[in-house]
Amino acid sequence: MTLDRSTIWPYDERGEPQEFFYQRYGHPAGVEVERALGVLDGGHALLFASGMGATTALALALLGPGASIAVGAGAYFGTARGLRTFERWGVTVVEFDQKGAPPADADVVWLEVPSNPLLEVPNFEAAAAHRGTVVVDSTVATPLHVRPLERGADYVLHSATKYLSGHDDILLGGVVCKREEDAAALRTLRGTLGIVAAPDPCWLLLRSLKTLRVRQERQTATARELARRLEEHASVRVVRYPGYSGLLSFDVADGDAARRVEVATRKIRNATSLGGVESNMESRHRWEGDRIPSGLLRLSVGLEDVEELWSDLAAALELA
Ligand SMILES: *Cc1c(COP(=O)(O)O)cnc(C)c1O
């Protein structure tokens, strides 16, 4: 489709607004990419300015004074940090082990599949049996490997900045709602408050979704092989990989060793984020502190040749 950057569209001959009239309430590229994402996850999708923008919108939609939200411990560190900003408005945030049952009194249960960077898979059955509203951040799994709406979730959240976009060139978030009426309410809230996704990144996401499947197949195959080889490496203490998608993490002896390894790779960039066609690796301790082991390295596997990646990694691990 051609990209339409208009912020306004004329009313019809009777002076009535058409489907598009003011960009904050909707625009063609946004509607098109929401249709595509909705099909992938089996629900009704809405795009936001970033993954955290999507989290903010869901928090505003689902929480009020006195509400409590239980977040899977080890989920993306920005999620709990972001949700805690709502404590000022009387919201309670607790963390729990998402491999077990959520706290009984939680109004909202927030899972992540698999968690970033500990790569743990949540207990969907226990969350589905819980009375609360269930949100699943499925950024790392992507809809190709896990469809949370079919496993009891009410909402799926994506940082579309990662695998869905795949090229490290757009910042976007998505929410896919199980129910049409929830999507309508969230759409009204989004248009009213303005946490919207602009046409350009939505148009680029449409481009990216065309290659999502081939990228995921290749990234999964390469990550599996690297995880297997890392398991056998003498300097690696533990490898975490759920068996799908392109993200893995592993531990070397300590924080200093992790720093030596991350700056020593040549092909793999020492950079944050994940999900791109080029591989990235970083020590997560710099961002997350003692939530995670100090020697943890997070590797986002791109589309490069597996042997080239392994020789780069193996050379860097000599310094561990
Ligand atoms: C990056 C990330 C987010 C936040 O998304 P942004 O697009 O950076 O705002 C949320 N959840 C997970 C799992 C992420 O990796």
PDB file of all heavy atoms in Angstrom, residues 134-161:
ATOM      1  N   VAL A 134      -6.088 -11.649  32.338  1.00  0.00           N
ATOM      2  CA  VAL A 134      -4.749 -12.170  32.028  1.00  0.00           C
ATOM      3  C   VAL A 134      -4.161 -11.458  30.801  1.00  0.00           C
ATOM      4  O   VAL A 134      -4.770 -11.430  29.730  1.00  0.00           O
ATOM      5  CB  VAL A 134      -4.788 -13.696  31.785  1.00  0.00           C
ATOM      6  CG1 VAL A 134      -3.406 -14.213  31.404  1.00  0.00           C
ATOM      7  CG2 VAL A 134      -5.323 -14.416  33.022  1.00  0.00           C
ATOM      8  N   VAL A 135      -2.978 -10.882  31.009  1.00  0.00           N
ATOM      9  CA  VAL A 135      -2.219 -10.245  29.927  1.00  0.00           C
ATOM     10  C   VAL A 135      -0.959 -11.077  29.702  1.00  0.00           C
ATOM     11  O   VAL A 135      -0.297 -11.458  30.669  1.00  0.00           O
ATOM     12  CB  VAL A 135      -1.808  -8.803  30.306  1.00  0.00           C
ATOM     13  CG1 VAL A 135      -1.000  -8.159  29.184  1.00  0.00           C
ATOM     14  CG2 VAL A 135      -3.027  -7.956  30.665  1.00  0.00           C
ATOM     15  N   VAL A 136      -0.618 -11.373  28.459  1.00  0.00           N
ATOM     16  CA  VAL A 136       0.619 -12.110  28.173  1.00  0.00           C
ATOM     17  C   VAL A 136       1.474 -11.290  27.211  1.00  0.00           C
ATOM     18  O   VAL A 136       1.060 -10.994  26.087  1.00  0.00           O
ATOM     19  CB  VAL A 136       0.330 -13.501  27.568  1.00  0.00           C
ATOM     20  CG1 VAL A 136       1.645 -14.208  27.235  1.00  0.00           C
ATOM     21  CG2 VAL A 136      -0.499 -14.343  28.524  1.00  0.00           C
ATOM     22  N   ASP A 137       2.655 -10.934  27.680  1.00  0.00           N
ATOM     23  CA  ASP A 137       3.641 -10.283  26.817  1.00  0.00           C
ATOM     24  C   ASP A 137       4.322 -11.390  26.012  1.00  0.00           C
ATOM     25  O   ASP A 137       5.065 -12.209  26.541  1.00  0.00           O
ATOM     26  CB  ASP A 137       4.656  -9.522  27.686  1.00  0.00           C
ATOM     27  CG  ASP A 137       5.702  -8.771  26.851  1.00  0.00           C
ATOM     28  OD1 ASP A 137       5.957  -9.169  25.700  1.00  0.00           O
ATOM     29  OD2 ASP A 137       6.278  -7.805  27.377  1.00  0.00           O
ATOM     30  N   SER A 138       4.042 -11.397  24.715  1.00  0.00           N
ATOM     31  CA  SER A 138       4.496 -12.472  23.838  1.00  0.00           C
ATOM     32  C   SER A 138       5.534 -11.967  22.837  1.00  0.00           C
ATOM     33  O   SER A 138       5.702 -12.525  21.756  1.00  0.00           O
ATOM     34  CB  SER A 138       3.257 -13.027  23.121  1.00  0.00           C
ATOM     35  OG  SER A 138       3.532 -14.201  22.455  1.00  0.00           O
ATOM     36  N   THR A 139       6.243 -10.915  23.238  1.00  0.00           N
ATOM     37  CA  THR A 139       7.232 -10.274  22.373  1.00  0.00           C
ATOM     38  C   THR A 139       8.259 -11.263  21.826  1.00  0.00           C
ATOM     39  O   THR A 139       8.560 -11.266  20.635  1.00  0.00           O
ATOM     40  CB  THR A 139       7.976  -9.177  23.170  1.00  0.00           C
ATOM     41  OG1 THR A 139       7.043  -8.170  23.524  1.00  0.00           O
ATOM     42  CG2 THR A 139       9.118  -8.563  22.373  1.00  0.00           C
ATOM     43  N   VAL A 140       8.795 -12.107  22.700  1.00  0.00           N
ATOM     44  CA  VAL A 140       9.887 -12.994  22.281  1.00  0.00           C
ATOM     45  C   VAL A 140       9.345 -14.222  21.549  1.00  0.00           C
ATOM     46  O   VAL A 140       9.957 -14.706  20.599  1.00  0.00           O
ATOM     47  CB  VAL A 140      10.770 -13.381  23.488  1.00  0.00           C
ATOM     48  CG1 VAL A 140      11.855 -14.380  23.072  1.00  0.00           C
ATOM     49  CG2 VAL A 140      11.412 -12.134  24.107  1.00  0.00           C
ATOM     50  N   ALA A 141       8.185 -14.714  21.945  1.00  0.00           N
ATOM     51  CA  ALA A 141       7.639 -15.920  21.306  1.00  0.00           C
ATOM     52  C   ALA A 141       7.154 -15.621  19.887  1.00  0.00           C
ATOM     53  O   ALA A 141       7.319 -16.441  18.981  1.00  0.00           O
ATOM     54  CB  ALA A 141       6.492 -16.487  22.134  1.00  0.00           C
ATOM     55  N   THR A 142       6.556 -14.472  19.696  1.00  0.00           N
ATOM     56  CA  THR A 142       5.850 -14.091  18.450  1.00  0.00           C
ATOM     57  C   THR A 142       4.639 -15.019  18.243  1.00  0.00           C
ATOM     58  O   THR A 142       4.627 -16.152  18.752  1.00  0.00           O
ATOM     59  CB  THR A 142       6.728 -14.110  17.161  1.00  0.00           C
ATOM     60  OG1 THR A 142       6.814 -15.442  16.650  1.00  0.00           O
ATOM     61  CG2 THR A 142       8.096 -13.506  17.381  1.00  0.00           C
ATOM     62  N   PRO A 143       3.652 -14.571  17.477  1.00  0.00           N
ATOM     63  CA  PRO A 143       2.442 -15.402  17.262  1.00  0.00           C
ATOM     64  C   PRO A 143       2.737 -16.688  16.499  1.00  0.00           C
ATOM     65  O   PRO A 143       1.894 -17.568  16.435  1.00  0.00           O
ATOM     66  CB  PRO A 143       1.527 -14.491  16.426  1.00  0.00           C
ATOM     67  CG  PRO A 143       2.077 -13.121  16.550  1.00  0.00           C
ATOM     68  CD  PRO A 143       3.536 -13.250  16.832  1.00  0.00           C
ATOM     69  N   LEU A 144       3.941 -16.809  15.915  1.00  0.00           N
ATOM     70  CA  LEU A 144       4.249 -18.026  15.173  1.00  0.00           C
ATOM     71  C   LEU A 144       4.522 -19.208  16.099  1.00  0.00           C
ATOM     72  O   LEU A 144       4.383 -20.358  15.698  1.00  0.00           O
ATOM     73  CB  LEU A 144       5.453 -17.805  14.260  1.00  0.00           C
ATOM     74  CG  LEU A 144       5.269 -16.721  13.209  1.00  0.00           C
ATOM     75  CD1 LEU A 144       6.457 -16.679  12.273  1.00  0.00           C
ATOM     76  CD2 LEU A 144       3.985 -16.935  12.421  1.00  0.00           C
ATOM     77  N   HIS A 145       4.905 -18.930  17.343  1.00  0.00           N
ATOM     78  CA  HIS A 145       5.231 -20.027  18.257  1.00  0.00           C
ATOM     79  C   HIS A 145       4.214 -20.182  19.378  1.00  0.00           C
ATOM     80  O   HIS A 145       3.994 -21.295  19.852  1.00  0.00           O
ATOM     81  CB  HIS A 145       6.625 -19.818  18.857  1.00  0.00           C
ATOM     82  CG  HIS A 145       7.698 -19.771  17.832  1.00  0.00           C
ATOM     83  ND1 HIS A 145       8.073 -20.877  17.096  1.00  0.00           N
ATOM     84  CD2 HIS A 145       8.456 -18.757  17.371  1.00  0.00           C
ATOM     85  CE1 HIS A 145       9.028 -20.541  16.244  1.00  0.00           C
ATOM     86  NE2 HIS A 145       9.271 -19.260  16.387  1.00  0.00           N
ATOM     87  N   VAL A 146       3.630 -19.076  19.832  1.00  0.00           N
ATOM     88  CA  VAL A 146       2.663 -19.149  20.929  1.00  0.00           C
ATOM     89  C   VAL A 146       1.512 -18.196  20.608  1.00  0.00           C
ATOM     90  O   VAL A 146       1.750 -17.052  20.214  1.00  0.00           O
ATOM     91  CB  VAL A 146       3.308 -18.736  22.285  1.00  0.00           C
ATOM     92  CG1 VAL A 146       2.282 -18.829  23.409  1.00  0.00           C
ATOM     93  CG2 VAL A 146       4.513 -19.608  22.613  1.00  0.00           C
ATOM     94  N   ARG A 147       0.269 -18.671  20.777  1.00  0.00           N
ATOM     95  CA  ARG A 147      -0.901 -17.805  20.587  1.00  0.00           C
ATOM     96  C   ARG A 147      -1.650 -17.753  21.919  1.00  0.00           C
ATOM     97  O   ARG A 147      -2.547 -18.555  22.192  1.00  0.00           O
ATOM     98  CB  ARG A 147      -1.777 -18.323  19.460  1.00  0.00           C
ATOM     99  CG  ARG A 147      -0.957 -18.414  18.159  1.00  0.00           C
ATOM    100  CD  ARG A 147      -1.675 -18.179  16.879  1.00  0.00           C
ATOM    101  NE  ARG A 147      -3.035 -18.591  16.767  1.00  0.00           N
ATOM    102  CZ  ARG A 147      -3.867 -18.110  15.833  1.00  0.00           C
ATOM    103  NH1 ARG A 147      -3.445 -17.191  14.986  1.00  0.00           N
ATOM    104  NH2 ARG A 147      -5.099 -18.551  15.748  1.00  0.00           N
ATOM    105  N   PRO A 148      -1.283 -16.789  22.780  1.00  0.00           N
ATOM    106  CA  PRO A 148      -1.796 -16.777  24.157  1.00  0.00           C
ATOM    107  C   PRO A 148      -3.317 -16.676  24.263  1.00  0.00           C
ATOM    108  O   PRO A 148      -3.896 -17.162  25.237  1.00  0.00           O
ATOM    109  CB  PRO A 148      -1.125 -15.541  24.772  1.00  0.00           C
ATOM    110  CG  PRO A 148       0.121 -15.359  23.972  1.00  0.00           C
ATOM    111  CD  PRO A 148      -0.267 -15.748  22.575  1.00  0.00           C
ATOM    112  N   LEU A 149      -3.986 -16.077  23.258  1.00  0.00           N
ATOM    113  CA  LEU A 149      -5.446 -15.949  23.349  1.00  0.00           C
ATOM    114  C   LEU A 149      -6.115 -17.324  23.319  1.00  0.00           C
ATOM    115  O   LEU A 149      -7.225 -17.492  23.804  1.00  0.00           O
ATOM    116  CB  LEU A 149      -5.993 -15.068  22.216  1.00  0.00           C
ATOM    117  CG  LEU A 149      -5.497 -13.618  22.210  1.00  0.00           C
ATOM    118  CD1 LEU A 149      -6.128 -12.844  21.055  1.00  0.00           C
ATOM    119  CD2 LEU A 149      -5.785 -12.912  23.537  1.00  0.00           C
ATOM    120  N   GLU A 150      -5.425 -18.305  22.744  1.00  0.00           N
ATOM    121  CA  GLU A 150      -5.975 -19.671  22.716  1.00  0.00           C
ATOM    122  C   GLU A 150      -5.648 -20.424  24.000  1.00  0.00           C
ATOM    123  O   GLU A 150      -6.055 -21.570  24.161  1.00  0.00           O
ATOM    124  CB  GLU A 150      -5.399 -20.437  21.509  1.00  0.00           C
ATOM    125  CG  GLU A 150      -5.867 -19.857  20.191  1.00  0.00           C
ATOM    126  CD  GLU A 150      -5.126 -20.420  18.988  1.00  0.00           C
ATOM    127  OE1 GLU A 150      -4.214 -21.266  19.171  1.00  0.00           O
ATOM    128  OE2 GLU A 150      -5.454 -19.973  17.870  1.00  0.00           O
ATOM    129  N   ARG A 151      -4.885 -19.773  24.888  1.00  0.00           N
ATOM    130  CA  ARG A 151      -4.469 -20.462  26.116  1.00  0.00           C
ATOM    131  C   ARG A 151      -4.931 -19.712  27.357  1.00  0.00           C
ATOM    132  O   ARG A 151      -4.330 -19.818  28.421  1.00  0.00           O
ATOM    133  CB  ARG A 151      -2.954 -20.648  26.102  1.00  0.00           C
ATOM    134  CG  ARG A 151      -2.553 -21.449  24.842  1.00  0.00           C
ATOM    135  CD  ARG A 151      -1.111 -21.742  24.763  1.00  0.00           C
ATOM    136  NE  ARG A 151      -0.686 -22.633  25.829  1.00  0.00           N
ATOM    137  CZ  ARG A 151       0.563 -23.039  25.984  1.00  0.00           C
ATOM    138  NH1 ARG A 151       1.478 -22.645  25.121  1.00  0.00           N
ATOM    139  NH2 ARG A 151       0.895 -23.812  26.972  1.00  0.00           N
ATOM    140  N   GLY A 152      -5.991 -18.942  27.193  1.00  0.00           N
ATOM    141  CA  GLY A 152      -6.630 -18.323  28.361  1.00  0.00           C
ATOM    142  C   GLY A 152      -6.349 -16.857  28.559  1.00  0.00           C
ATOM    143  O   GLY A 152      -6.891 -16.248  29.490  1.00  0.00           O
ATOM    144  N   ALA A 153      -5.517 -16.243  27.709  1.00  0.00           N
ATOM    145  CA  ALA A 153      -5.220 -14.821  27.887  1.00  0.00           C
ATOM    146  C   ALA A 153      -6.375 -13.964  27.368  1.00  0.00           C
ATOM    147  O   ALA A 153      -7.079 -14.346  26.427  1.00  0.00           O
ATOM    148  CB  ALA A 153      -3.941 -14.445  27.142  1.00  0.00           C
ATOM    149  N   ASP A 154      -6.562 -12.812  28.012  1.00  0.00           N
ATOM    150  CA  ASP A 154      -7.543 -11.832  27.539  1.00  0.00           C
ATOM    151  C   ASP A 154      -6.889 -10.819  26.592  1.00  0.00           C
ATOM    152  O   ASP A 154      -7.557 -10.263  25.720  1.00  0.00           O
ATOM    153  CB  ASP A 154      -8.148 -11.088  28.736  1.00  0.00           C
ATOM    154  CG  ASP A 154      -8.846 -12.050  29.686  1.00  0.00           C
ATOM    155  OD1 ASP A 154      -9.889 -12.593  29.302  1.00  0.00           O
ATOM    156  OD2 ASP A 154      -8.320 -12.289  30.802  1.00  0.00           O
ATOM    157  N   TYR A 155      -5.593 -10.574  26.830  1.00  0.00           N
ATOM    158  CA  TYR A 155      -4.852  -9.617  26.007  1.00  0.00           C
ATOM    159  C   TYR A 155      -3.444 -10.162  25.743  1.00  0.00           C
ATOM    160  O   TYR A 155      -2.827 -10.727  26.645  1.00  0.00           O
ATOM    161  CB  TYR A 155      -4.682  -8.270  26.728  1.00  0.00           C
ATOM    162  CG  TYR A 155      -5.965  -7.552  27.058  1.00  0.00           C
ATOM    163  CD1 TYR A 155      -6.608  -7.776  28.273  1.00  0.00           C
ATOM    164  CD2 TYR A 155      -6.514  -6.632  26.168  1.00  0.00           C
ATOM    165  CE1 TYR A 155      -7.783  -7.109  28.590  1.00  0.00           C
ATOM    166  CE2 TYR A 155      -7.689  -5.958  26.483  1.00  0.00           C
ATOM    167  CZ  TYR A 155      -8.321  -6.203  27.693  1.00  0.00           C
ATOM    168  OH  TYR A 155      -9.477  -5.538  27.999  1.00  0.00           O
ATOM    169  N   VAL A 156      -2.944  -9.936  24.538  1.00  0.00           N
ATOM    170  CA  VAL A 156      -1.538 -10.210  24.227  1.00  0.00           C
ATOM    171  C   VAL A 156      -0.851  -8.873  24.019  1.00  0.00           C
ATOM    172  O   VAL A 156      -1.426  -7.965  23.411  1.00  0.00           O
ATOM    173  CB  VAL A 156      -1.401 -11.033  22.925  1.00  0.00           C
ATOM    174  CG1 VAL A 156       0.065 -11.305  22.613  1.00  0.00           C
ATOM    175  CG2 VAL A 156      -2.163 -12.322  23.035  1.00  0.00           C
ATOM    176  N   LEU A 157       0.356  -8.753  24.544  1.00  0.00           N
ATOM    177  CA  LEU A 157       1.133  -7.531  24.336  1.00  0.00           C
ATOM    178  C   LEU A 157       2.397  -7.860  23.548  1.00  0.00           C
ATOM    179  O   LEU A 157       3.022  -8.896  23.769  1.00  0.00           O
ATOM    180  CB  LEU A 157       1.498  -6.915  25.693  1.00  0.00           C
ATOM    181  CG  LEU A 157       2.230  -5.570  25.568  1.00  0.00           C
ATOM    182  CD1 LEU A 157       1.598  -4.543  26.498  1.00  0.00           C
ATOM    183  CD2 LEU A 157       3.710  -5.701  25.870  1.00  0.00           C
ATOM    184  N   HIS A 158       2.736  -6.987  22.602  1.00  0.00           N
ATOM    185  CA  HIS A 158       3.983  -7.142  21.852  1.00  0.00           C
ATOM    186  C   HIS A 158       4.772  -5.848  21.888  1.00  0.00           C
ATOM    187  O   HIS A 158       4.211  -4.774  21.645  1.00  0.00           O
ATOM    188  CB  HIS A 158       3.719  -7.427  20.369  1.00  0.00           C
ATOM    189  CG  HIS A 158       3.097  -8.758  20.099  1.00  0.00           C
ATOM    190  ND1 HIS A 158       3.811  -9.936  20.191  1.00  0.00           N
ATOM    191  CD2 HIS A 158       1.841  -9.106  19.744  1.00  0.00           C
ATOM    192  CE1 HIS A 158       3.007 -10.951  19.894  1.00  0.00           C
ATOM    193  NE2 HIS A 158       1.807 -10.480  19.630  1.00  0.00           N
ATOM    194  N   SER A 159       6.074  -5.947  22.143  1.00  0.00           N
ATOM    195  CA  SER A 159       6.951  -4.871  21.730  1.00  0.00           C
ATOM    196  C   SER A 159       7.242  -5.176  20.270  1.00  0.00           C
ATOM    197  O   SER A 159       8.079  -6.033  19.945  1.00  0.00           O
ATOM    198  CB  SER A 159       8.257  -4.841  22.534  1.00  0.00           C
ATOM    199  OG  SER A 159       9.155  -3.952  21.888  1.00  0.00           O
ATOM    200  N   ALA A 160       6.531  -4.499  19.379  1.00  0.00           N
ATOM    201  CA  ALA A 160       6.708  -4.746  17.941  1.00  0.00           C
ATOM    202  C   ALA A 160       8.052  -4.215  17.453  1.00  0.00           C
ATOM    203  O   ALA A 160       8.461  -4.467  16.323  1.00  0.00           O
ATOM    204  CB  ALA A 160       5.560  -4.122  17.153  1.00  0.00           C
ATOM    205  N   THR A 161       8.741  -3.500  18.337  1.00  0.00           N
ATOM    206  CA  THR A 161      10.101  -3.032  18.083  1.00  0.00           C
ATOM    207  C   THR A 161      11.054  -4.207  17.837  1.00  0.00           C
ATOM    208  O   THR A 161      12.094  -4.027  17.201  1.00  0.00           O
ATOM    209  CB  THR A 161      10.589  -2.257  19.330  1.00  0.00           C
ATOM    210  OG1 THR A 161       9.578  -1.332  19.728  1.00  0.00           O
ATOM    211  CG2 THR A 161      11.889  -1.535  19.088  1.00  0.00           C
TER     212      THR A 161
END
